[in-house]
Amino acid sequence: MSAAEILVPGKAGEGEALVLTAPISFWGGVDPETGRIADVRHPQHGEIISGRVLFLPGTIGSSSASAVLMELVHNGRAPAALVLREPDAILLLGLIVAREMGWETPVAVRLAHGTFDAYRGSIVKVAADGAVGIAA
């Protein structure tokens, strides 16, 4: 288990790791109705982020990213947990607002990017206290 910095507290999550190989724009890049990566230029186009532990090497900015993440939470299509290399205040605002609306939100943590590949292809658990590890 690795200790990660909690960026936004939330529900602990467990799921298959989806380690993105390129930054993504949530606005237009992720379908909030299906949780599918919709950006045809993204290397993981067509993958579903819902219920998975999403490892984000970065995001491509849009002030609407927070709204898309909030919609994913509201629609029950959010990732099980978010693991970011660097904090993204705009994206994470979506979790904060969703939580203020009374919706259950996944935990979001910061973990060194160099460690992301160790989780690829595994079932990963992110605890509410920020511990990240491969599920037994």
Side-chain angles (χ1 to χ4, degrees), residues 10-82:
K11 179 183 175 194
E14 182 175 326
E16 179 185 355
L18 176 56
V19 180
L20 297 186
T21 58
I24 192 165
S25 170
F26 274 68
W27 179 252
V30 177
D31 181 343
E33 295 294 321
T34 64
R36 182 177 303 278
I37 296 177
D39 181 353
V40 296
R41 298 167 305 206
H42 196 276
Q44 276 97 9
H45 171 256
E47 290 278 355
I48 301 289
I49 69 170
S50 303
R52 296 173 82 177
V53 175
L54 181 62
F55 287 78
L56 292 163
T59 56
I60 299 169
S62 169
S63 59
S64 300
S66 55
V68 173
L69 184 53
M70 189 174 76
E71 282 186 71
L72 285 162
V73 170
H74 182 256
N75 294 335
R77 299 290 185 189
L82 288 96

Side-chain angles (χ1 to χ4, degrees), residues 4-14 18 20 24 26 30 49 51-57 59 65 69-70 72-73 77-86 88 91-95 105-111 116 124-127 130-132:
E5 174 189 358
I6 296 172
L7 299 172
V8 177
K11 179 183 175 194
E14 182 175 326
L18 176 56
L20 297 186
I24 192 165
F26 274 68
V30 177
I49 69 170
R52 296 173 82 177
V53 175
L54 181 62
F55 287 78
L56 292 163
T59 56
L69 184 53
M70 189 174 76
L72 285 162
V73 170
R77 299 290 185 189
L82 288 96
V83 181
L84 289 83
R85 185 179 89 187
E86 294 294 330
D88 181 327
L91 178 66
L92 296 174
L93 180 62
L95 292 180
T105 59
V107 65
V109 299
R110 177 184 187 178
L111 193 62
F116 281 20
V124 176
K125 185 171 188 170
V126 181
V132 179

